[in-house]
Coordinates of all heavy atoms in Angstrom, one line a residue:
M1120 N 115.9 109.8 130.8 CA 116.9 110.5 129.9 C 117.3 111.8 130.7 O 116.5 112.5 131.3 CB 116.2 110.9 128.6 CG 117.2 111.2 127.5 SD 116.6 112.0 126.1 CE 115.1 111.2 125.7
S1121 N 118.6 112.1 130.6 CA 119.1 113.3 131.3 C 118.8 114.5 130.5 O 118.6 114.4 129.3 CB 120.6 113.1 131.6 OG 121.3 114.1 130.8
S1122 N 118.7 115.6 131.1 CA 118.4 116.9 130.4 C 119.6 117.6 129.8 O 119.5 118.7 129.3 CB 117.6 117.8 131.3 OG 118.4 118.2 132.4
H1123 N 120.8 117.0 130.0 CA 122.0 117.5 129.5 C 122.5 118.7 130.3 O 123.5 118.7 130.9 CB 122.0 117.9 128.0 CG 123.4 118.1 127.5 ND1 124.3 117.2 127.2 CD2 124.0 119.3 127.2 CE1 125.4 117.7 126.7 NE2 125.3 119.0 126.8
Y1124 N 121.7 119.8 130.2 CA 122.0 121.0 131.1 C 121.3 120.9 132.4 O 120.2 120.4 132.5 CB 121.6 122.3 130.4 CG 122.4 122.5 129.1 CD1 121.8 122.6 127.9 CD2 123.8 122.7 129.2 CE1 122.5 122.8 126.7 CE2 124.5 122.9 128.0 CZ 123.9 123.0 126.8 OH 124.6 123.2 125.6
Q1125 N 122.0 121.4 133.4 CA 121.3 121.4 134.7 C 120.0 122.3 134.7 O 119.0 121.9 135.2 CB 122.2 121.9 135.8 CG 121.6 121.8 137.2 CD 122.4 122.6 138.2 OE1 123.2 123.5 137.9 NE2 122.3 122.3 139.5
H1126 N 120.3 123.5 134.1 CA 119.1 124.4 133.8 C 119.3 125.0 132.4 O 120.4 125.5 132.2 CB 119.1 125.5 134.8 CG 118.8 125.1 136.2 ND1 117.6 124.6 136.6 CD2 119.6 125.0 137.3 CE1 117.7 124.2 137.9 NE2 118.9 124.5 138.4
H1127 N 118.3 124.9 131.6 CA 118.4 125.5 130.3 C 117.4 126.6 130.2 O 116.2 126.4 130.4 CB 118.1 124.4 129.2 CG 118.6 124.8 127.9 ND1 118.6 123.9 126.8 CD2 119.1 125.9 127.4 CE1 119.0 124.5 125.8 NE2 119.4 125.7 126.1
V1128 N 117.9 127.8 130.0 CA 117.0 129.0 130.1 C 116.8 129.7 128.8 O 117.8 129.9 128.1 CB 117.7 130.0 131.1 CG1 116.8 131.3 131.3 CG2 118.0 129.4 132.4
F1129 N 115.5 129.9 128.4 CA 115.2 130.6 127.2 C 114.6 131.9 127.4 O 113.5 132.0 128.1 CB 114.3 129.7 126.3 CG 114.9 128.4 125.9 CD1 114.8 127.3 126.7 CD2 115.6 128.3 124.7 CE1 115.4 126.1 126.3 CE2 116.2 127.1 124.3 CZ 116.1 126.0 125.1
F1130 N 115.2 132.9 126.9 CA 114.6 134.3 126.9 C 113.9 134.6 125.6 O 114.5 134.5 124.6 CB 115.7 135.4 127.1 CG 116.2 135.6 128.5 CD1 117.0 134.7 129.1 CD2 115.8 136.7 129.2 CE1 117.6 134.9 130.3 CE2 116.4 137.0 130.5 CZ 117.2 136.0 131.0
C1131 N 112.6 134.9 125.6 CA 112.0 135.4 124.4 C 112.5 136.8 124.1 O 112.5 137.7 124.9 CB 110.5 135.5 124.6 SG 109.7 136.3 123.2
L1132 N 113.1 137.0 122.9 CA 113.6 138.3 122.5 C 112.8 138.8 121.3 O 113.2 139.8 120.6 CB 115.0 138.2 122.0 CG 116.0 137.7 123.1 CD1 117.5 137.9 122.6 CD2 115.9 138.4 124.4
N1133 N 111.6 138.2 121.1 CA 110.8 138.6 119.9 C 110.5 140.1 119.9 O 110.0 140.6 120.9 CB 109.6 137.8 119.8 CG 108.9 138.0 118.5 OD1 109.5 138.1 117.4 ND2 107.6 138.1 118.5
Q1134 N 110.7 140.7 118.7 CA 110.3 142.1 118.6 C 109.3 142.3 117.5 O 109.6 141.8 116.4 CB 111.6 142.9 118.2 CG 111.5 144.4 118.1 CD 111.6 145.1 119.4 OE1 112.6 144.8 120.1 NE2 110.7 145.9 119.7
R1135 N 108.2 142.9 117.8 CA 107.2 143.1 116.7 C 107.2 144.5 116.2 O 107.4 145.4 117.0 CB 105.8 142.8 117.3 CG 105.5 141.4 117.6 CD 104.0 141.3 118.0 NE 103.8 140.1 118.9 CZ 103.9 138.9 118.5 NH1 104.0 138.6 117.2 NH2 103.7 137.9 119.3
E1136 N 107.0 144.6 114.9 CA 107.1 145.9 114.3 C 105.7 146.5 114.3 O 105.5 147.7 114.0 CB 107.6 145.9 112.9 CG 109.0 145.2 112.8 CD 110.1 145.9 113.7 OE1 110.0 147.1 114.0 OE2 111.0 145.2 114.1
D1137 N 104.6 145.7 114.5 CA 103.3 146.2 114.3 C 102.7 146.8 115.6 O 101.5 147.1 115.7 CB 102.4 145.1 113.8 CG 102.3 144.0 114.8 OD1 102.8 144.1 115.9 OD2 101.6 143.0 114.5
G1138 N 103.5 147.0 116.7 CA 103.0 147.6 117.9 C 102.3 146.6 118.8 O 101.9 146.9 119.9
G1139 N 102.2 145.3 118.4 CA 101.6 144.3 119.3 C 102.5 144.0 120.5 O 103.7 144.3 120.4
A1140 N 101.9 143.4 121.5 CA 102.7 143.0 122.7 C 103.8 142.1 122.3 O 103.7 141.1 121.6 CB 101.8 142.3 123.7
C1141 N 105.0 142.4 122.8 CA 106.2 141.6 122.5 C 107.2 141.8 123.6 O 107.4 142.9 124.2 CB 106.8 141.8 121.2 SG 107.5 143.5 121.0
C1142 N 108.0 140.7 123.9 CA 109.0 140.8 125.0 C 110.1 141.7 124.6 O 110.7 142.3 125.5 CB 109.5 139.4 125.2 SG 108.2 138.2 125.7
G1143 N 110.4 141.8 123.3 CA 111.5 142.7 122.9 C 111.3 144.1 123.2 O 112.3 144.9 123.3
A1144 N 110.1 144.5 123.5 CA 109.8 145.9 123.9 C 110.0 146.1 125.4 O 109.8 147.2 125.9 CB 108.3 146.3 123.5
H1145 N 110.4 145.1 126.1 CA 110.5 145.2 127.6 C 111.9 144.8 128.0 O 112.1 144.0 129.0 CB 109.5 144.3 128.3 CG 108.1 144.7 128.0 ND1 107.5 145.8 128.6 CD2 107.2 144.2 127.1 CE1 106.2 145.9 128.1 NE2 106.0 144.9 127.2
N1146 N 112.9 145.3 127.3 CA 114.3 145.1 127.8 C 114.8 143.7 127.8 O 115.8 143.3 128.5 CB 114.3 145.6 129.3 CG 115.6 146.4 129.5 OD1 116.3 146.7 128.6 ND2 115.9 146.6 130.8
A1147 N 114.1 142.8 127.0 CA 114.5 141.4 127.1 C 115.9 141.1 126.6 O 116.6 140.3 127.2 CB 113.5 140.6 126.2
Q1148 N 116.3 141.8 125.6 CA 117.7 141.5 125.1 C 118.7 141.9 126.1 O 119.7 141.1 126.3 CB 117.9 142.3 123.8 CG 119.3 141.9 123.2 CD 119.4 142.3 121.8 OE1 118.4 142.5 121.0 NE2 120.7 142.4 121.3
A1149 N 118.6 143.1 126.7 CA 119.6 143.5 127.7 C 119.6 142.5 128.9 O 120.7 142.2 129.4 CB 119.3 144.9 128.1
M1150 N 118.4 142.0 129.3 CA 118.4 141.1 130.4 C 119.0 139.8 130.1 O 119.6 139.1 130.9 CB 116.9 141.0 130.9 CG 116.4 142.3 131.6 SD 117.4 142.9 133.0 CE 118.3 144.2 132.2
Q1151 N 118.8 139.3 128.8 CA 119.4 138.1 128.4 C 120.9 138.2 128.4 O 121.6 137.3 128.9 CB 118.9 137.7 127.0 CG 119.2 136.3 126.6 CD 120.5 136.2 125.8 OE1 121.0 137.2 125.2 NE2 121.1 135.0 125.7
E1152 N 121.4 139.3 127.9 CA 122.9 139.5 127.9 C 123.4 139.6 129.4 O 124.4 139.0 129.7 CB 123.2 140.7 127.1 CG 123.1 140.5 125.6 CD 123.0 141.8 124.8 OE1 123.3 142.9 125.4 OE2 122.8 141.7 123.6
Y1153 N 122.6 140.2 130.2 CA 123.0 140.3 131.6 C 123.1 139.0 132.3 O 124.0 138.6 133.0 CB 122.1 141.3 132.4 CG 122.4 141.4 133.8 CD1 123.5 142.1 134.3 CD2 121.6 140.7 134.8 CE1 123.8 142.2 135.6 CE2 121.9 140.8 136.1 CZ 123.0 141.5 136.5 OH 123.3 141.6 137.9
A1154 N 122.0 138.2 132.0 CA 122.0 136.8 132.6 C 123.2 136.0 132.2 O 123.8 135.3 133.0 CB 120.7 136.1 132.3
K1155 N 123.5 136.1 130.9 CA 124.6 135.3 130.4 C 125.9 135.7 131.1 O 126.7 134.9 131.5 CB 124.6 135.5 128.9 CG 125.3 134.4 128.1 CD 125.1 134.5 126.7 CE 126.0 133.5 126.0 NZ 125.7 133.3 124.7
K1156 N 126.1 137.0 131.2 CA 127.3 137.5 131.8 C 127.4 137.1 133.2 O 128.5 136.7 133.7 CB 127.2 139.1 131.6 CG 128.6 139.8 131.9 CD 128.4 141.3 131.7 CE 127.6 141.8 132.9 NZ 127.3 143.3 132.8
R1157 N 126.3 137.2 134.0 CA 126.3 136.9 135.4 C 126.6 135.4 135.6 O 127.4 135.0 136.5 CB 124.9 137.2 136.0 CG 124.7 138.7 136.3 CD 125.7 139.2 137.3 NE 125.7 138.6 138.6 CZ 126.7 138.3 139.4 NH1 127.9 138.8 139.1 NH2 126.5 137.7 140.6
C1158 N 126.0 134.5 134.8 CA 126.2 133.1 135.0 C 127.6 132.7 134.7 O 128.2 131.9 135.3 CB 125.2 132.3 134.1 SG 123.5 132.3 134.7
K1159 N 128.2 133.4 133.7 CA 129.6 133.2 133.4 C 130.5 133.6 134.5 O 131.4 132.9 134.9 CB 130.0 134.0 132.1 CG 131.2 133.5 131.4 CD 131.4 134.1 130.1 CE 132.8 133.6 129.5 NZ 133.2 134.4 128.4
A1160 N 130.2 134.8 135.0 CA 131.0 135.3 136.2 C 130.9 134.4 137.4 O 131.9 134.3 138.1 CB 130.5 136.7 136.5
L1161 N 129.7 133.8 137.6 CA 129.6 132.9 138.7 C 130.2 131.5 138.5 O 130.2 130.7 139.4 CB 128.1 132.8 139.0 CG 127.4 134.0 139.6 CD1 125.9 133.9 139.6 CD2 127.8 134.3 141.1
G1162 N 130.6 131.3 137.2 CA 131.2 130.0 136.9 C 130.2 128.9 136.9 O 130.5 127.7 137.0
I1163 N 128.9 129.2 136.6 CA 127.9 128.1 136.5 C 127.5 127.8 135.1 O 126.7 126.9 134.9 CB 126.6 128.5 137.4 CG1 126.0 129.7 136.9 CG2 127.0 128.6 138.9 CD1 124.6 130.0 137.5
S1164 N 127.9 128.6 134.1 CA 127.5 128.3 132.8 C 128.6 127.6 132.0 O 129.7 127.7 132.3 CB 127.1 129.6 132.1 OG 128.2 130.4 131.9
G1165 N 128.1 126.9 131.0 CA 129.1 126.2 130.1 C 128.5 124.9 129.5 O 127.4 125.0 128.9
G1166 N 129.1 123.8 129.8 CA 128.7 122.6 129.1 C 127.7 121.8 129.9 O 126.9 122.2 130.8
E1167 N 127.8 120.5 129.7 CA 126.9 119.5 130.3 C 126.9 119.6 131.8 O 127.9 119.8 132.4 CB 127.3 118.1 129.9 CG 126.4 117.0 130.3 CD 126.8 115.7 129.7 OE1 127.8 115.6 128.9 OE2 126.0 114.7 129.9
G1168 N 125.6 119.5 132.4 CA 125.5 119.6 133.8 C 125.5 121.0 134.4 O 125.5 121.2 135.6
Q1169 N 125.7 122.0 133.5 CA 125.7 123.4 133.9 C 124.5 124.2 133.4 O 123.6 123.6 132.9 CB 127.0 124.0 133.5 CG 128.2 123.4 134.1 CD 129.5 124.2 133.9 OE1 130.0 124.2 132.8 NE2 130.0 124.8 134.9
V1170 N 124.6 125.5 133.5 CA 123.5 126.3 133.1 C 123.8 126.9 131.7 O 124.9 127.2 131.4 CB 123.4 127.5 134.1 CG1 122.4 128.6 133.6 CG2 122.9 127.0 135.5
R1171 N 122.7 126.9 130.9 CA 122.8 127.5 129.6 C 121.7 128.5 129.4 O 120.6 128.3 129.6 CB 122.8 126.5 128.5 CG 123.0 127.1 127.1 CD 123.6 126.2 126.1 NE 123.8 126.9 124.8 CZ 124.9 127.4 124.4 NH1 126.0 127.3 125.1 NH2 125.0 128.0 123.2
I1172 N 122.1 129.7 128.9 CA 121.2 130.8 128.7 C 121.1 131.0 127.2 O 122.1 131.4 126.5 CB 121.8 132.2 129.3 CG1 122.2 132.0 130.8 CG2 120.7 133.3 129.1 CD1 121.0 131.8 131.7
N1173 N 119.9 130.8 126.7 CA 119.7 131.0 125.2 C 118.7 132.0 124.9 O 117.8 132.3 125.7 CB 119.2 129.6 124.6 CG 120.4 128.7 124.2 OD1 120.6 127.7 124.8 ND2 121.2 129.2 123.3
K1174 N 118.8 132.5 123.6 CA 117.8 133.4 123.1 C 116.7 132.6 122.4 O 117.0 131.5 121.9 CB 118.4 134.3 122.0 CG 119.6 135.1 122.4 CD 120.2 135.8 121.2 CE 121.5 136.6 121.7 NZ 122.2 137.2 120.6
A1175 N 115.5 133.1 122.5 CA 114.4 132.4 121.8 C 113.6 133.4 121.0 O 113.6 134.6 121.3 CB 113.5 131.6 122.7
G1176 N 112.9 132.9 120.0 CA 111.8 133.7 119.3 C 110.6 133.6 120.2 O 110.6 133.2 121.4
C1177 N 109.5 134.0 119.6 CA 108.2 134.1 120.4 C 107.9 132.8 121.0 O 107.9 131.8 120.3 CB 107.1 134.6 119.5 SG 105.6 134.7 120.4
L1178 N 107.6 132.8 122.3 CA 107.2 131.6 123.0 C 105.7 131.6 123.2 O 105.2 130.7 123.9 CB 107.9 131.6 124.4 CG 109.4 131.6 124.3 CD1 110.0 131.8 125.7 CD2 109.9 130.2 123.8
N1179 N 105.0 132.5 122.6 CA 103.5 132.5 122.5 C 102.9 132.8 123.9 O 101.8 132.3 124.1 CB 103.0 131.2 121.9 CG 101.6 131.4 121.3 OD1 101.3 132.5 120.9 ND2 100.8 130.4 121.2
R1180 N 103.6 133.6 124.7 CA 102.9 134.0 125.9 C 103.2 135.5 126.0 O 103.5 136.1 127.1 CB 103.5 133.3 127.1 CG 103.4 131.8 127.0 CD 103.6 131.1 128.3 NE 102.5 131.2 129.2 CZ 102.4 130.6 130.4 NH1 103.4 129.9 130.8 NH2 101.3 130.8 131.1
C1181 N 103.0 136.2 124.9 CA 103.4 137.6 124.7 C 102.7 138.5 125.7 O 103.4 139.5 126.2 CB 103.0 138.0 123.3 SG 103.3 136.7 122.1
E1182 N 101.5 138.3 126.1 CA 100.8 139.2 126.9 C 101.4 139.2 128.3 O 101.1 140.2 129.1 CB 99.3 138.9 127.0 CG 98.6 139.0 125.7 CD 98.5 140.4 125.1 OE1 98.6 141.3 125.9 OE2 98.3 140.5 123.9
L1183 N 102.1 138.2 128.7 CA 102.7 138.1 130.0 C 104.1 138.6 130.1 O 104.8 138.5 131.1 CB 102.6 136.6 130.5 CG 101.3 136.0 130.6 CD1 101.4 134.5 130.7 CD2 100.5 136.6 131.8
G1184 N 104.6 139.0 128.9 CA 106.0 139.3 128.7 C 106.5 140.6 129.4 O 105.7 141.4 129.9
P1185 N 107.8 140.6 129.6 CA 108.8 139.7 129.0 C 108.8 138.4 129.8 O 108.7 138.4 131.0 CB 110.1 140.5 129.2 CG 109.9 141.3 130.4 CD 108.5 141.7 130.4
V1186 N 109.0 137.3 129.0 CA 109.0 136.0 129.7 C 110.3 135.3 129.4 O 111.0 135.5 128.4 CB 107.9 135.1 129.2 CG1 106.5 135.6 129.7 CG2 107.8 134.9 127.7
L1187 N 110.7 134.4 130.3 CA 111.7 133.4 130.1 C 111.2 132.1 130.7 O 110.3 132.2 131.6 CB 113.1 133.9 130.8 CG 113.1 134.1 132.3 CD1 113.4 132.7 133.0 CD2 114.3 135.0 132.6
V1188 N 111.8 131.0 130.3 CA 111.4 129.7 130.9 C 112.6 128.9 131.2 O 113.6 129.0 130.5 CB 110.5 129.0 129.9 CG1 111.1 128.8 128.5 CG2 110.0 127.7 130.5
V1189 N 112.6 128.3 132.3 CA 113.7 127.5 132.8 C 113.3 126.0 132.7 O 112.3 125.6 133.3 CB 114.0 127.8 134.3 CG1 115.2 126.9 134.8 CG2 114.3 129.3 134.5
Y1190 N 114.1 125.2 131.9 CA 113.9 123.8 131.8 C 115.0 123.1 132.6 O 116.1 123.7 132.7 CB 113.9 123.3 130.4 CG 112.6 123.8 129.7 CD1 112.7 124.8 128.7 CD2 111.4 123.2 130.0 CE1 111.5 125.2 128.0 CE2 110.2 123.7 129.3 CZ 110.3 124.6 128.4 OH 109.2 125.0 127.7
P1191 N 114.9 121.9 133.1 CA 113.8 121.0 132.8 C 112.5 121.2 133.7 O 111.5 120.5 133.5 CB 114.4 119.6 133.1 CG 115.4 119.8 134.2 CD 115.9 121.2 133.9
E1192 N 112.6 122.1 134.6 CA 111.4 122.3 135.5 C 110.2 123.0 134.8 O 109.1 122.9 135.3 CB 111.8 123.2 136.7 CG 113.0 122.6 137.5 CD 114.3 123.2 137.0 OE1 114.5 123.4 135.8 OE2 115.1 123.5 137.9
A1193 N 110.5 123.6 133.6 CA 109.4 124.4 132.9 C 108.8 125.4 133.8 O 107.5 125.5 133.9 CB 108.4 123.4 132.3
V1194 N 109.6 126.2 134.5 CA 109.1 127.3 135.3 C 109.2 128.6 134.5 O 110.3 128.9 134.0 CB 109.9 127.4 136.6 CG1 109.4 128.7 137.4 CG2 109.7 126.2 137.5
W1195 N 108.1 129.3 134.3 CA 108.0 130.5 133.5 C 108.1 131.7 134.4 O 107.4 131.8 135.4 CB 106.7 130.5 132.7 CG 106.6 129.5 131.6 CD1 106.4 128.2 131.8 CD2 106.7 129.8 130.2 NE1 106.3 127.6 130.5 CE2 106.5 128.6 129.6 CE3 106.9 131.0 129.5 CZ2 106.6 128.4 128.2 CZ3 107.0 130.8 128.1 CH2 106.8 129.6 127.5
Y1196 N 108.9 132.6 134.0 CA 109.1 133.9 134.8 C 108.8 135.1 133.9 O 109.1 135.1 132.7 CB 110.5 134.0 135.3 CG 110.9 133.0 136.4 CD1 111.9 132.1 136.1 CD2 110.3 133.1 137.7 CE1 112.3 131.2 137.1 CE2 110.7 132.2 138.7 CZ 111.7 131.2 138.4 OH 112.1 130.3 139.4
T1197 N 108.5 136.2 134.6 CA 108.6 137.5 134.0 C 109.6 138.3 134.9 O 109.9 137.8 136.0 CB 107.2 138.2 133.9 OG1 107.4 139.4 133.2 CG2 106.6 138.5 135.3
F1198 N 110.0 139.4 134.4 CA 111.1 140.1 135.1 C 111.0 141.6 134.6 O 110.5 141.9 133.6 CB 112.5 139.5 134.7 CG 112.7 139.4 133.3 CD1 113.2 140.4 132.5 CD2 112.3 138.2 132.6 CE1 113.4 140.3 131.1 CE2 112.5 138.1 131.2 CZ 113.1 139.1 130.5
V1199 N 111.6 142.4 135.5 CA 111.7 143.8 135.1 C 113.1 144.3 135.0 O 113.5 145.0 134.0 CB 111.0 144.7 136.2 CG1 111.2 146.2 136.0 CG2 109.5 144.4 136.3
D1200 N 114.0 144.0 135.9 CA 115.3 144.6 135.9 C 116.4 143.5 136.3 O 116.1 142.4 136.5 CB 115.3 145.8 136.8 CG 114.8 145.5 138.2 OD1 114.8 144.3 138.6 OD2 114.3 146.4 138.9
E1201 N 117.6 144.1 136.5 CA 118.7 143.2 136.8 C 118.5 142.5 138.2 O 119.0 141.4 138.4 CB 120.0 144.0 136.8 CG 120.4 144.4 135.4 CD 121.7 145.2 135.3 OE1 122.3 145.5 136.4 OE2 122.1 145.5 134.2
Q1202 N 117.8 143.2 139.1 CA 117.6 142.6 140.4 C 116.7 141.3 140.3 O 117.0 140.3 141.0 CB 116.9 143.6 141.3 CG 117.9 144.4 142.1 CD 117.7 145.9 141.9 OE1 116.5 146.3 141.9 NE2 118.7 146.7 141.8
D1203 N 115.7 141.4 139.4 CA 114.9 140.2 139.2 C 115.7 139.1 138.6 O 115.6 137.9 139.0 CB 113.7 140.5 138.3 CG 112.7 141.4 138.9 OD1 112.7 141.6 140.2 OD2 111.9 142.0 138.2
I1204 N 116.6 139.4 137.6 CA 117.4 138.4 137.0 C 118.4 137.8 138.0 O 118.5 136.6 138.1 CB 118.2 139.0 135.8 CG1 117.2 139.5 134.7 CG2 119.2 137.9 135.2 CD1 116.3 138.5 134.1
D1205 N 119.0 138.6 138.9 CA 119.9 138.2 139.9 C 119.1 137.2 140.9 O 119.7 136.2 141.3 CB 120.4 139.3 140.8 CG 121.5 140.1 140.0 OD1 122.2 139.5 139.2 OD2 121.7 141.3 140.4
E1206 N 117.9 137.5 141.2 CA 117.1 136.7 142.1 C 116.9 135.3 141.5 O 117.0 134.3 142.1 CB 115.8 137.3 142.5 CG 115.2 136.6 143.7 CD 114.0 137.4 144.2 OE1 113.9 138.6 144.0 OE2 113.2 136.8 144.9
I1207 N 116.5 135.3 140.2 CA 116.3 134.0 139.5 C 117.6 133.2 139.4 O 117.6 132.0 139.7 CB 115.7 134.3 138.1 CG1 114.3 134.9 138.2 CG2 115.7 133.0 137.3 CD1 113.8 135.4 136.9
I1208 N 118.7 133.9 139.2 CA 120.0 133.2 139.1 C 120.3 132.6 140.4 O 120.6 131.4 140.6 CB 121.1 134.1 138.5 CG1 120.8 134.4 137.1 CG2 122.4 133.4 138.7 CD1 121.8 135.5 136.5
E1209 N 120.3 133.5 141.4 CA 120.8 133.0 142.8 C 119.9 132.0 143.4 O 120.4 131.0 144.0 CB 121.0 134.2 143.7 CG 122.3 134.9 143.3 CD 122.4 136.4 143.6 OE1 121.7 136.8 144.6 OE2 123.0 137.2 142.9
S1210 N 118.6 132.3 143.4 CA 117.7 131.4 144.1 C 117.4 130.1 143.3 O 117.6 129.0 143.8 CB 116.4 132.1 144.3 OG 115.5 131.2 145.0
H1211 N 117.0 130.2 142.0 CA 116.6 129.1 141.2 C 117.8 128.3 140.6 O 118.0 127.1 140.8 CB 115.6 129.5 140.1 CG 115.0 128.3 139.4 ND1 113.8 128.4 138.8 CD2 115.4 127.1 139.2 CE1 113.5 127.2 138.3 NE2 114.5 126.4 138.5
L1212 N 118.7 129.1 139.8 CA 119.7 128.4 139.1 C 120.8 127.9 140.0 O 121.4 126.8 139.7 CB 120.3 129.3 138.0 CG 119.2 129.9 137.0 CD1 119.9 130.6 135.9 CD2 118.3 128.8 136.4
V1213 N 121.2 128.7 141.0 CA 122.2 128.2 141.9 C 121.6 127.4 143.1 O 122.1 126.3 143.4 CB 123.0 129.4 142.5 CG1 124.0 129.0 143.5 CG2 123.7 130.2 141.3
G1214 N 120.6 128.0 143.7 CA 120.1 127.3 144.9 C 119.0 126.3 144.7 O 118.6 125.5 145.6
G1215 N 118.5 126.2 143.4 CA 117.4 125.1 143.2 C 116.1 125.5 143.7 O 115.2 124.7 143.7
K1216 N 115.9 126.8 144.1 CA 114.6 127.2 144.7 C 113.9 128.2 143.8 O 114.4 129.3 143.7 CB 114.9 127.8 146.1 CG 113.7 128.0 146.9 CD 114.1 128.6 148.3 CE 112.9 128.9 149.2 NZ 112.0 129.9 148.6
P1217 N 112.9 127.8 143.1 CA 112.2 128.7 142.2 C 111.7 130.0 142.9 O 111.4 129.9 144.1 CB 111.0 127.9 141.7 CG 111.5 126.5 141.8 CD 112.3 126.4 143.0
V1218 N 111.6 131.1 142.2 CA 111.2 132.4 142.8 C 109.7 132.6 142.5 O 109.3 133.0 141.4 CB 112.0 133.5 142.1 CG1 111.7 134.8 142.8 CG2 113.5 133.2 142.2
E1219 N 109.0 132.3 143.6 CA 107.5 132.4 143.5 C 107.0 133.7 142.9 O 106.1 133.8 142.1 CB 107.0 132.1 144.9 CG 105.5 131.7 144.9 CD 105.3 130.2 144.5 OE1 106.1 129.4 144.9 OE2 104.3 130.0 143.8
R1220 N 107.6 134.8 143.4 CA 107.0 136.1 143.1 C 107.1 136.5 141.7 O 106.4 137.4 141.2 CB 107.6 137.2 144.1 CG 109.0 137.6 143.7 CD 109.5 138.8 144.6 NE 110.8 139.2 144.0 CZ 111.0 140.1 143.1 NH1 109.9 140.8 142.6 NH2 112.2 140.4 142.6
L1221 N 108.1 135.9 140.9 CA 108.3 136.3 139.5 C 107.6 135.3 138.6 O 107.7 135.4 137.4 CB 109.8 136.4 139.3 CG 110.5 137.5 140.0 CD1 112.0 137.5 139.8 CD2 109.9 138.9 139.6
M1222 N 107.0 134.2 139.1 CA 106.4 133.2 138.2 C 105.2 133.8 137.5 O 104.4 134.5 138.2 CB 106.0 132.0 139.0 CG 107.2 131.2 139.5 SD 106.5 129.7 140.4 CE 108.0 129.1 141.1
V1223 N 104.9 133.4 136.3 CA 103.7 133.8 135.6 C 102.6 132.8 135.8 O 101.4 133.1 135.6 CB 103.9 134.1 134.1 CG1 105.0 135.2 133.9 CG2 104.3 132.8 133.3
D1224 N 102.9 131.6 136.2 CA 101.9 130.6 136.5 C 101.8 130.3 138.0 O 102.8 130.1 138.6 CB 102.2 129.2 135.8 CG 102.3 129.4 134.3 OD1 101.4 129.9 133.7 OD2 103.4 129.1 133.8
H1225 N 100.6 130.4 138.5 CA 100.5 130.1 140.0 C 99.5 129.1 140.3 O 98.6 128.8 139.5 CB 100.1 131.4 140.7 CG 101.2 132.4 140.8 ND1 102.3 132.3 141.6 CD2 101.5 133.5 140.0 CE1 103.2 133.3 141.4 NE2 102.7 134.0 140.4
Ligands
FES2485 S1 106.8 138.0 122.1 FE1 107.6 137.0 123.8 S2 106.3 135.3 124.1 FE2 105.6 136.3 122.2

Protein backbone atom coordinates (compact mmCIF):
# COMPACT_ATOMS: atom_id res chain seq x y z
CA MET A 1 0.00 0.00 0.00
CA SER A 2 1.35 3.43 -0.85
CA SER A 3 1.73 5.99 1.89
CA HIS A 4 -0.02 8.71 -0.17
CA TYR A 5 2.37 11.44 0.94
CA GLN A 6 6.06 11.11 0.25
CA HIS A 7 6.68 12.38 3.78
CA HIS A 8 3.99 13.06 6.34
CA VAL A 9 5.25 15.14 9.23
CA PHE A 10 3.47 15.53 12.59
CA PHE A 11 4.51 18.22 15.07
CA CYS A 12 3.26 17.78 18.62
CA LEU A 13 1.81 21.13 19.67
CA ASN A 14 0.36 20.00 22.96
CA GLN A 15 0.30 22.65 25.66
CA ARG A 16 -0.20 21.67 29.29
CA GLU A 17 -1.56 24.09 31.79
CA ASP A 18 -0.34 22.15 34.82
CA GLY A 19 3.36 22.88 34.25
CA GLY A 20 4.13 19.32 33.09
CA ALA A 21 6.59 18.71 30.26
CA CYS A 22 5.02 19.58 26.93
CA CYS A 23 6.15 20.39 23.41
CA GLY A 24 4.02 23.52 23.33
CA ALA A 25 6.36 25.09 25.88
CA HIS A 26 9.30 24.74 23.46
CA ASN A 27 8.37 26.82 20.46
CA ALA A 28 6.63 23.92 18.71
CA GLN A 29 3.86 25.99 17.15
CA ALA A 30 6.21 28.57 15.63
CA MET A 31 8.43 25.80 14.27
CA GLN A 32 5.45 23.96 12.74
CA GLU A 33 4.37 27.16 11.01
CA TYR A 34 7.91 27.76 9.84
CA ALA A 35 8.20 24.22 8.43
CA LYS A 36 4.94 24.60 6.58
CA LYS A 37 6.00 27.91 5.10
CA ARG A 38 9.43 26.59 4.08
CA CYS A 39 8.02 23.48 2.40
CA LYS A 40 5.57 25.61 0.49
CA ALA A 41 8.30 28.01 -0.59
CA LEU A 42 10.41 25.08 -1.76
CA GLY A 43 7.48 23.73 -3.76
CA ILE A 44 7.59 20.32 -2.08
CA SER A 45 4.31 20.44 -0.16
CA GLY A 46 0.84 19.79 -1.38
CA GLY A 47 -0.94 16.68 -2.49
CA GLU A 48 -0.22 13.05 -3.17
CA GLY A 49 3.45 12.16 -3.49
CA GLN A 50 4.53 15.36 -1.78
CA VAL A 51 5.26 16.52 1.75
CA ARG A 52 2.56 17.32 4.27
CA ILE A 53 3.18 19.13 7.55
CA ASN A 54 0.48 18.54 10.18
CA LYS A 55 -0.22 19.59 13.73
CA ALA A 56 -0.71 16.87 16.31
CA GLY A 57 -1.80 16.57 19.90
CA CYS A 58 0.36 14.81 22.44
CA LEU A 59 2.41 12.01 20.90
CA ASN A 60 3.28 10.66 24.33
CA ARG A 61 7.00 11.35 24.17
CA CYS A 62 6.75 14.56 26.16
CA GLU A 63 10.01 14.29 28.08
CA LEU A 64 11.92 14.26 24.80
CA GLY A 65 10.09 17.27 23.41
CA PRO A 66 9.62 19.18 21.42
CA VAL A 67 9.13 16.26 19.06
CA LEU A 68 8.04 15.70 15.49
CA VAL A 69 7.78 12.46 13.58
CA VAL A 70 8.24 11.81 9.87
CA TYR A 71 6.28 8.98 8.23
CA PRO A 72 6.42 6.56 6.52
CA GLU A 73 9.92 6.14 7.93
CA ALA A 74 8.76 6.79 11.53
CA VAL A 75 11.83 8.86 12.32
CA TRP A 76 11.43 10.96 15.46
CA TYR A 77 13.21 14.25 15.87
CA THR A 78 13.66 16.95 18.41
CA PHE A 79 14.58 20.49 17.42
CA VAL A 80 15.48 23.87 18.83
CA ASP A 81 15.30 26.49 16.13
CA GLU A 82 14.75 27.28 12.47
CA GLN A 83 18.19 25.95 11.56
CA ASP A 84 17.23 22.52 12.88
CA ILE A 85 13.98 22.60 10.94
CA ASP A 86 15.85 23.66 7.79
CA GLU A 87 18.23 20.75 8.21
CA ILE A 88 15.39 18.25 8.58
CA ILE A 89 13.66 19.70 5.51
CA GLU A 90 16.74 19.87 3.31
CA SER A 91 18.41 16.64 4.31
CA HIS A 92 15.48 14.33 5.07
CA LEU A 93 12.42 15.67 3.26
CA VAL A 94 14.22 16.83 0.12
CA GLY A 95 17.33 14.67 0.12
CA GLY A 96 15.94 11.49 1.69
CA LYS A 97 18.77 11.41 4.24
CA PRO A 98 17.62 11.42 7.89
CA VAL A 99 19.42 13.81 10.25
CA GLU A 100 21.18 11.63 12.79
CA ARG A 101 22.08 14.40 15.24
CA LEU A 102 18.45 15.46 15.80
CA MET A 103 16.95 11.98 16.18
CA VAL A 104 15.55 11.05 19.57
CA ASP A 105 16.00 7.29 18.97
CA HIS A 106 19.49 5.96 18.39
S1 LIG B 1 3.40 17.06 24.84
FE1 LIG B 1 4.45 16.57 23.00
S2 LIG B 1 4.64 14.43 23.07
FE2 LIG B 1 3.43 14.92 24.79
